[in-house]
């Protein structure tokens, strides 16, 4: 028996070593899988954040390309006032959008205007025809490119769009290019909080963003001849010698090797995260140590089991099992509680941000509506002054006459003059009351609005303008109709449309504006028709776009129809425009009647 003990001990030791080795390998595999899964989730969050920033500015150059000053400046680069106005516009948009730069180039790549026109390293006068984003845009498609600026030496992401001449027939060749430069350096600052290396590489494998400074502008592998010619020809990383990361010092290479990657953007970029191998081995070592301890405990327990009675052994085993279950349950409860608390905090934070954003949007929209009303009051100021001066002059004349008649003892004639004074005062009070009602700031109160009264009140405010410009005004109330909405904003829409009709007939031979109200089914239809030149075909698609106007500078901001359309849509209605068959333009406001509006889903209307 004693001769077998050494063999049994050796066999047991070999089994223990085998078990520990297996546990180490299994734990290392599991730790690698867990760390990779966590890294993949982390990488997904970073990728979504990066994609969001890249996509946020995709439409900015496309939208700015339709600003009328952009093609005009390219066509007339020697018009200093025009170019300076465009410089200021680009600078304002750049500051509001928080991008690095916005600049305009002609078809040869020469910069005409730029948001950094007043900076020492201005783009104005520089030529960027060698950049891929310029070549893509001048060929009629969107351009995208990341590189170091050869003027500012600052890296950035460039988005470009072609610029077409105004009123050019499609598909006309571009006359220039507009580009937006975006800085991505904030991502590097955010990534520095991560202990694991994070890198963003282009399609050639060149790292241009990383929380490891030494890796920046180094490649994942050695570039082939074609890739190197492309980088050198486009000056993508001007002033940088692109060498593989493997050529760096051992200390700078720390963390480089096995990695996770996800595609990002539209240029074939790869976002990479390099999980820590030390953590994997440490987790495996801890698991092996735990296995060793468990085996040791098992051996001691086995020896003790031989020394104790079976009942005592079962009691100890039961107690240990219950304790482990309780500890595991307690840990699970604590972990789940912590996860729920963190999730709740994130939801509360997002909800607060959403409420704050919604409040800001509503406040901005209300201020914009009020600004439109005040601008309209400014346009009507001259006519209203004339309209009020006439009753004032009449009041003074009648007052002087009344004094004279009283001095002669002719009380009845003095009374007639006083009655005329009262009538003139009432007329002035009515005009001032309408102005005060129109100018007051709307609080979005929803109530029943009598459209006939709203039309008559709006016409009263513009009556002096119609008479001053010798315009025939015809009002046809075929059937009174009530709608649900904001009375002040409803009058704002009507006044804006009547004012536009008045402007439209300014140069017409026959100056006539007609307003009619009728019911069609359950809807109310307000039609404003003028005898002007009508709506040009090229203007019709952009009629309700913000800041689009065909009026001369100083006669409008291009916001009237956009605000009016927004107000009508908030009342579940529709504002449309067309050319009448007999000439002139015709705007139609369609609103659901009060009975129909009450039956709308939820019975509520959004505030414009």
């Amino acid at each position: 028996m004693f001769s077998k003990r050494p063999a049994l001990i050796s066999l047991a030791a070999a089994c223990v070593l085998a078990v520990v080795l297996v546990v180490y390998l299994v734990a290392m595999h599991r730790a690698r899988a867990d760390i990779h899964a966590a890294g993949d989730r982390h990488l997904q969050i970073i990728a979504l954040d990066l994609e969001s920033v890249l996509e946020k500015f995709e439409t900015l150059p496309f939208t700015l390309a339709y600003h009328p000053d952009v093609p005009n400046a390219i066509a007339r680069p020697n018009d200093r006032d025009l170019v300076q106005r465009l410089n200021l516009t680009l600078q304002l948009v750049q500051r509001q959008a928080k991008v690095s730069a916005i600049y305009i180039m002609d078809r040869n790549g020469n910069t005409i205007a730029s948001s950094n026109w007043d900076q020492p390293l201005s783009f104005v006068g520089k030529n960027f025809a060698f950049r891929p984003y310029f070549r893509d845009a001048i060929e009629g498609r969107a351009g995208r490119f990341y590189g170091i600026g050869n003027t500012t030496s600052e890296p950035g992401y460039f988005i470009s769009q072609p610029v077409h001449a105004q009123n050019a027939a499609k598909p006309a060749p571009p006359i220039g290019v507009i580009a937006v430069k975006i800085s991505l350096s904030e991502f590097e600052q955010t990534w520095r909080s991560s202990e694991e290396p994070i890198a963003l590489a282009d399609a050639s494998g060149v790292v241009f963003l990383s929380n490891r400074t030494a890796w920046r502008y180094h490649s994942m592998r050695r570039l082939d001849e074609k890739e190197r010619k492309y980088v050198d020809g486009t000056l993508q990383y001007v002033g940088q010698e692109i060498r593989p990361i493997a050529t760096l010092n051992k200390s700078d290479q720390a963390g480089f090797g096995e990695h996770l990657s996800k595609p990002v953007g539209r240029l074939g970029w790869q976002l990479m995260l390099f999980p820590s191998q030390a953590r994997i081995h440490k987790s495996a070592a801890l698991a092996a140590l735990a296995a060793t301890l468990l085996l040791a405990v098992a051996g001691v327990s086995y020896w003790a089991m031989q020394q104790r009675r079976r009942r005592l052994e079962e009691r100890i085993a039961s107690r240990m099992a219950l304790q482990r279950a309780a500890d595991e349950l307690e840990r699970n409860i604590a972990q789940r509680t912590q996860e729920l608390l963190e999730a709740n905090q994130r939801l509360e934070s997002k909800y607060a941000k959403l409420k704050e954003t919604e409040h800001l949007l509503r406040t901005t929209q209300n201020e914009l509506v009020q600004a439109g009303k005040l601008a309209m009051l400014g346009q009507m100021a001259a006519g209203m002054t004339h309209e009020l001066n006439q009753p004032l002059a009449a009041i003074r004349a009648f007052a002087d006459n009344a004094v004279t008649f009283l001095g002669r003892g002719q009380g009845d004639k003095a009374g007639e003059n006083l009655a005329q004074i009262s009538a003139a005062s009432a007329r002035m009070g009515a005009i001032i009351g309408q102005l005060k009602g129109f100018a007051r700031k709307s609080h979005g109160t929803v109530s029943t609005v009598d459209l006939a009264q709203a039309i008559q009140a709006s016409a009263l405010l513009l009556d002096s303008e119609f008479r001053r410009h010798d315009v025939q005004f015809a009002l046809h109330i075929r059937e009174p109709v009530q709608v649900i909405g904001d009375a002040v904003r409803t009058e704002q829409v009507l006044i804006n449309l009547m004012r536009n009709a008045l402007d439209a007939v300014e140069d017409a031979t026959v100056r006539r504006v007609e307003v009619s109200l009728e019911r069609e089914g359950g809807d109310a239809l307000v039609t404003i028709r003028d005898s002007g030149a009508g709506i040009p075909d090229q203007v019709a698609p952009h009629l309700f776009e913000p800041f689009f106007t065909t009026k001369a500078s100083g006669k409008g901001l291009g916001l009237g129809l956009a605000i009016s359309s927004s107000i009508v849509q908030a009342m579940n209605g529709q504002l449309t425009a067309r050319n009448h068959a007999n000439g002139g333009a015709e705007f139609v406001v369609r609103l659901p009647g009060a009975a129909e509006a009450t039956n709308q889903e939820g019975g509520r209307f959004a505030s414009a």
Side-chain angles (χ1 to χ4, degrees):
M1 180 178 180
F2 288 102
S3 61
K4 294 182 180 180
R5 183 172 295 178
L8 292 174
I9 292 175
S10 299
L11 180 61
C15 291
V16 168
L17 290 176
V19 170
V20 170
L21 179 60
V22 170
V23 169
Y24 180 87
L25 295 176
V26 172
M28 185 169 63
H29 176 75
R30 185 170 182 178
R32 179 180 286 106
D34 291 342
I35 290 175
H36 281 200
D40 189 71
R41 290 191 295 271
H42 187 198
L43 205 59
Q44 182 68 25
I45 293 173
I46 297 175
L48 289 174
D49 193 17
L50 184 57
E51 287 276 8
S52 175
V53 171
L54 296 178
E55 291 298 324
K56 180 172 68 174
F57 298 104
E58 274 293 322
T59 58
L60 181 58
F62 179 82
T63 304
L64 290 176
Y66 285 91
H67 192 287
D69 284 350
V70 173
N72 289 341
I74 294 176
R76 305 196 305 273
N78 295 325
D79 188 338
R80 294 185 178 180
D81 293 338
L82 175 60
V83 172
Q84 181 61 18
R85 186 170 72 240
L86 182 56
N87 281 332
L88 295 175
T89 299
L90 295 178
Q91 189 177 61
L92 176 62
V93 175
Q94 174 261 324
R95 291 175 178 173
Q96 293 296 322
K98 294 181 175 58
V99 297
S100 297
I102 305 174
Y103 51 103
I104 312 297
M105 295 162 282
D106 63 16
R107 69 181 64 201
N108 296 319
N110 297 314
T111 305
I112 302 299
S114 175
S115 60
N116 61 2
W117 62 274
D118 56 348
Q119 299 298 318
L121 299 178
S122 171
F123 292 171
V124 176
K126 301 294 190 298
N127 186 284
F128 299 102
F130 62 92
R131 291 293 201 186
Y133 65 81
F134 174 82
R135 295 197 296 267
D136 290 340
I138 205 64
E139 291 175 5
R141 58 182 182 272
R144 300 171 186 86
F145 180 75
Y146 185 92
I148 298 176
N150 66 330
T151 299
T152 62
S153 298
E154 296 177 357
Y157 179 59
F158 299 84
I159 306 174
S160 63
Q161 286 286 348
V163 177
H164 297 277
Q166 277 191 314
N167 303 324
K170 296 294 181 72
I175 63 172
V177 172
I178 180 171
V180 175
K181 182 180 180 181
I182 305 163
S183 175
L184 302 180
S185 59
E186 291 184 2
F187 285 98
E188 284 190 326
Q189 300 299 327
T190 303
W191 296 348
R192 293 190 191 283
S193 62
S194 174
E195 296 179 358
E196 298 172 326
I198 301 173
L200 182 62
D202 62 17
S204 300
V206 178
V207 175
F208 57 87
L209 284 181
S210 177
N211 59 352
R212 297 294 186 267
T213 306
W215 293 11
R216 198 186 307 150
Y217 307 123
H218 287 76
S219 58
M220 298 292 293
R221 51 175 174 76
R222 190 172 299 279
L223 301 183
D224 59 29
E225 190 64 23
K226 181 180 179 181
E227 292 171 336
R228 188 167 296 280
K229 284 183 178 180
Y230 175 82
V231 171
D232 295 339
T234 59
L235 300 181
Q236 185 173 9
Y237 304 112
V238 59
Q240 303 291 334
E241 181 182 359
I242 308 301
R243 295 185 292 113
I245 296 177
T247 62
L248 295 173
N249 298 329
K250 291 296 182 182
S251 58
D252 292 334
Q253 289 186 44
F256 181 73
E258 182 181 356
H259 62 273
L260 306 172
S261 64
K262 281 189 177 298
V264 175
R266 306 187 185 189
L267 296 177
W269 294 351
Q270 290 291 326
L271 180 64
M272 296 170 288
L273 183 141
F274 297 76
S276 173
Q277 299 300 313
R279 289 174 55 194
I280 296 175
H281 292 293
K282 183 179 179 181
S283 298
L286 289 175
L289 178 61
T292 303
L293 293 175
L294 286 175
L295 289 173
V297 171
V300 173
S301 298
Y302 178 77
W303 179 82
M305 284 171 57
Q306 301 302 320
Q307 308 299 320
R308 298 173 180 269
R309 296 180 179 180
R310 191 176 186 84
R311 185 177 297 175
L312 180 61
E313 294 169 352
E314 291 177 353
R315 183 183 302 171
I316 293 174
S318 299
R319 186 179 299 168
M320 292 176 63
L322 288 173
Q323 184 62 44
R324 285 195 297 270
D327 292 344
E328 182 67 21
L329 179 61
E330 194 170 75
R331 283 195 298 271
N332 288 339
I333 292 175
Q335 181 180 356
R336 297 296 183 270
T337 302
Q338 183 62 30
E339 290 174 354
L340 289 173
L341 287 173
E342 291 175 357
N344 186 50
Q345 290 174 356
R346 289 194 297 269
L347 288 174
E348 289 178 352
S349 176
K350 290 181 179 179
Y351 180 76
K353 290 181 179 178
L354 286 173
K355 293 294 289 183
E356 181 180 353
T357 303
E358 180 185 11
H359 176 71
L360 178 61
L361 286 174
R362 290 188 180 277
T363 301
T364 304
Q365 190 176 36
N366 289 335
E367 293 299 330
L368 191 59
V369 171
Q370 185 67 11
K373 291 198 296 185
L374 295 178
M376 199 178 300
L377 284 174
Q379 293 177 350
M380 297 188 296
M384 286 300 171
T385 302
H386 178 72
E387 189 71 9
L388 291 174
N389 279 337
Q390 288 183 338
L392 281 174
I395 288 173
R396 182 173 182 178
F398 284 127
D400 291 341
N401 291 340
V403 171
T404 302
F405 287 134
L406 287 174
R408 296 175 180 176
Q410 297 175 333
D412 54 343
K413 292 188 177 181
E416 293 176 359
N417 280 264
L418 291 175
Q420 293 292 337
I421 292 174
S422 177
S425 299
R427 168 67 176 171
M428 293 174 63
I431 294 173
I432 294 173
Q434 288 295 330
L435 282 174
K436 289 173 62 180
F438 178 71
R440 73 176 183 271
K441 196 169 186 178
S442 172
H443 298 288
T445 304
V446 176
S447 61
T448 302
V449 180
D450 189 327
L451 277 182
Q453 292 182 1
I455 294 173
Q456 292 169 351
S458 303
L460 178 61
L461 286 177
L462 292 173
D463 180 61
S464 62
E465 291 290 311
F466 281 108
R467 288 189 281 105
R468 187 162 65 91
H469 291 86
D470 194 21
V471 176
Q472 302 175 21
F473 178 76
L475 176 59
H476 307 289
I477 307 296
R478 296 185 174 89
E479 183 179 354
V481 185
Q482 292 184 335
V483 296
I484 300 297
D486 188 324
V488 175
R489 293 187 176 179
T490 302
E491 291 184 14
Q492 181 179 357
V493 172
L494 295 171
I495 290 176
N496 184 67
L497 294 177
M498 291 184 195
R499 180 73 198 189
N500 285 349
L502 182 62
D503 293 339
V505 301
E506 183 176 357
D507 298 325
T509 304
V510 177
R511 301 177 182 178
R512 181 175 178 82
V513 175
E514 297 182 4
V515 179
S516 63
L517 171 63
E518 58 186 339
R519 183 189 296 272
E520 185 177 285
D523 295 340
L525 259 67
V526 180
T527 304
I528 296 93
R529 179 190 170 193
D530 62 65
S531 61
I535 305 170
D537 293 338
Q538 66 272 17
V539 172
H542 311 287
L543 203 56
F544 298 103
E545 294 178 0
F547 303 106
F548 180 81
T549 179
T550 58
K551 297 179 182 178
S553 177
K555 288 193 175 183
L557 299 175
L559 290 174
L561 288 177
I563 293 174
S564 298
S565 179
S566 174
I567 294 173
V568 173
Q569 290 176 9
M571 298 170 67
N572 289 336
Q574 184 181 15
L575 174 59
T576 58
R578 63 194 177 200
N579 287 323
H580 196 272
N582 296 328
E586 185 177 68
F587 285 78
V588 178
V589 180
R590 180 183 292 272
L591 296 170
E596 294 292 328
T598 306
N599 294 329
Q600 294 287 338
E601 181 180 354
R604 299 183 180 182
F605 290 81
S607 176

